[in-house]
Amino acid sequence: MTTYEKDPDPRAHRTHLSAAGLRARGWTAGMIRRLLGEPDLRRANPFFRTAPPTRLYGVERVEAAERSEEFRALSAVAARRSAAVKEAALRRRREVLARIAAEPIEVPVLDPERLTALAVEYRDRVAGRGPGPSGAGPDARTSDRDLDLDRWKVDYLRHRLARYDGILDELSGRTGRAAAEELLRRRVHAAISQAYPDLAQECERRSGPEIQVRSRLPAPDDRKVVRRPSQEST
């Protein structure tokens, strides 16, 4: 019969295991339901009083179940299933990294004055500012000292290339996402540097220190970058 207690039982830490404690021992939710059933003790959540009570299972009952043939069989099935899920995630990670490495990055090529104007416009839009005085140049409202044009040019171009971020959506969960984001960021900055050599220093600063992507991938061939003139204004 399940016992419910409002306050923590000081003996519970020694004599009972929570569901989290069982998972750490290799139990799955299905195994808990099948082999243990109802908890032996319910304890009020010590952190959130409105949360459901913590379910606790007697250690002796848990250890007895773990010695059973059924537990060993279910554990083997759970281990194989977990390994298959991890392998699928790693395979997908490798596929996404390979695609990022091979994807041609098409950077819009704009004349210097146009790029400057669009970069400042983008900066003002991000900062929530209104447009500058009619007919004024891009630096009319902000001095050269206050405006890092290279930074905003790269920001604007990165915004124009945001569609490539969709490749990252093919990764489920967080497995390999950091490495994929890093590789994509470096590819995009390399493409911008090639299209606009005067922005190479800023792109190098954005890329940060080199990291190793643990995957056997072909080296990104940035000669594949397609640079196309663009007349778009956003």
Side-chain angles (χ1 to χ4, degrees), residues 131-150:
S134 178
D139 293 335
R141 300 190 329 97
T142 309
S143 67
D144 289 337
R145 178 179 300 179
D146 297 329
L147 175 62
D148 185 347
L149 279 176
D150 284 354

Side-chain angles (χ1 to χ4, degrees), residues 111-125:
D111 64 71
E113 291 185 0
R114 183 61 175 160
L115 177 58
T116 298
L118 290 172
V120 174
E121 179 184 324
Y122 177 70
R123 175 210 65 190
D124 291 344
R125 189 162 66 246

Side-chain angles (χ1 to χ4, degrees), residues 27-230:
W27 289 72
T28 65
M31 292 166 64
I32 294 173
R33 288 192 301 270
R34 180 167 178 173
L35 299 180
L36 297 178
E38 286 297 312
D40 300 297
L41 178 66
R42 294 181 188 272
R43 189 177 67 190
N45 191 295
F47 303 105
F48 304 99
R49 288 295 176 180
T50 58
T54 299
R55 294 170 297 169
L56 297 171
Y57 301 83
V59 170
E60 292 184 0
R61 193 156 70 93
V62 169
E63 290 177 343
E66 289 175 344
R67 291 191 293 269
S68 69
E69 289 294 334
E70 188 175 10
F71 176 84
R72 284 191 282 270
L74 292 174
S75 293
V77 171
R80 288 194 295 271
R81 184 180 296 116
S82 177
V85 170
K86 290 179 180 178
E87 177 58 32
L90 290 174
R91 182 171 60 252
R92 190 58 184 160
R93 171 182 178 268
R94 290 192 294 267
E95 292 172 354
V96 171
L97 288 173
R99 180 180 170 188
I100 292 173
E103 187 79 11
I105 308 296
E106 301 181 2
V107 181
V109 176
L110 306 165
D111 64 71
E113 291 185 0
R114 183 61 175 160
L115 177 58
T116 298
L118 290 172
V120 174
E121 179 184 324
Y122 177 70
R123 175 210 65 190
D124 291 344
R125 189 162 66 246
V126 169
R129 302 172 182 172
S134 178
D139 293 335
R141 300 190 329 97
T142 309
S143 67
D144 289 337
R145 178 179 300 179
D146 297 329
L147 175 62
D148 185 347
L149 279 176
D150 284 354
R151 171 194 169 194
W152 286 103
K153 287 176 183 178
V154 173
D155 277 348
Y156 169 73
L157 292 169
R158 183 67 184 85
H159 168 70
R160 288 287 297 272
L161 299 173
R163 63 185 181 277
Y164 293 102
D165 292 341
I167 301 175
L168 300 173
D169 295 336
E170 299 176 20
L171 287 170
S172 59
R174 297 184 178 180
T175 303
R177 191 173 184 88
E181 289 176 347
E182 177 70 14
L183 180 58
L184 179 59
R185 180 166 58 250
R186 291 187 180 281
R187 294 261 7 249
V188 168
H189 287 152
I192 293 174
S193 295
Q194 182 177 348
Y196 300 92
D198 57 318
L199 298 178
Q201 184 175 355
E202 174 64 16
C203 288
E204 183 177 354
R205 184 187 70 80
R206 296 290 189 90
S207 294
E210 190 69 34
I211 67 168
Q212 291 184 349
V213 178
R214 296 182 180 179
S215 179
R216 295 182 178 179
L217 298 176
D221 185 359
D222 290 318
R223 291 174 298 177
K224 294 181 180 179
V225 172
V226 180
R227 299 182 293 167
R228 297 179 179 175
S230 175

